[in-house]
Amino acid sequence: THPQFFDQHPELLETISVTHPYGGRAIPLAERQTVALREKLKLAESRLVELLQFGEENDAISEKVHRLSVALAGARDFPALASSLYFHLREDFAVPHVALRVWGKSVAADFDEAKPVDDAQKQHAETMGAPQCGPAAGNPFVPWFGESSGQLRSIALVPLGQTAVFGLLALGSEDPKRFFPEMGTLYLRRIGELCAAGVTARL
């Protein structure tokens, strides 16, 4: 609060004793300030490396989302759309288990995407408001994954549709840390928007 203090009281600089943060011995004030600045520099460099890493990871994810959007835009019909979605989520995003359900639209009855969805599941999807992530245990949508259900440890749920929800994209993983409640869902939301737009355009 008084940066000019030692300018106003220079005689104190002759008698002040500052303890070295590591050696315990007394050192000059200037040397102590140098030590403090070096510590701040190390923290700044560490933070910069972390930010660069996050930036690279986000660039990589953005590129994958772009490839997915191009593939979905080029799908000629709903089966091709679903096939492209499953392929890119598996190969680009390394999501081993994907389940898509659509209701209120003209999906052929023999497609997996048209399998019955009970009212409780529909209501759950309609009230989510945003993607949800968490453990697979006890999740009401785990049965959608069929024989793989018992292997799942974490799951992400992405509602389709903004003004009115008409479907749900479910992603499952054997890794309990792959989808966790505190994770960011920006890219999951974008994938859901791409999927919803593609489904709406083809049904």
Side-chain angles (χ1 to χ4, degrees), residues 119-186:
D119 291 338
Q121 291 174 330
K122 290 180 182 178
Q123 185 176 10
H124 187 136
E126 291 166 358
T127 57
M128 284 174 55
Q132 293 182 353
C133 303
N139 192 292
F141 297 95
V142 168
W144 285 10
F145 294 93
E147 296 179 355
S148 302
S149 298
Q151 306 171 21
L152 303 186
R153 295 296 177 267
S154 63
I155 190 171
L157 304 174
V158 186
L160 305 183
Q162 295 180 334
T163 56
V165 174
F166 59 82
L168 186 74
L169 177 65
L171 313 177
S173 173
E174 290 93 346
D175 182 357
K177 297 181 180 180
R178 178 64 189 277
F179 302 114
F180 54 94
E182 298 80 15
M183 70 180 290
T185 58
L186 172 64

Side-chain angles (χ1 to χ4, degrees), residues 68-69 71-86 99-108 111 113-114 158-161 164-169 191-203:
L68 173 63
S69 64
L72 296 184
R76 63 185 180 278
D77 51 25
F78 180 76
L81 178 87
S83 178
S84 292
L85 176 68
Y86 299 149
L100 173 64
R101 296 289 184 274
V102 177
W103 53 87
K105 293 185 178 294
S106 56
V107 182
F111 290 174
E113 295 78 16
V158 186
L160 305 183
V165 174
F166 59 82
L168 186 74
L169 177 65
I191 290 172
E193 291 171 352
L194 288 169
C195 181
V199 170
T200 300
R202 290 161 182 80
L203 294 176

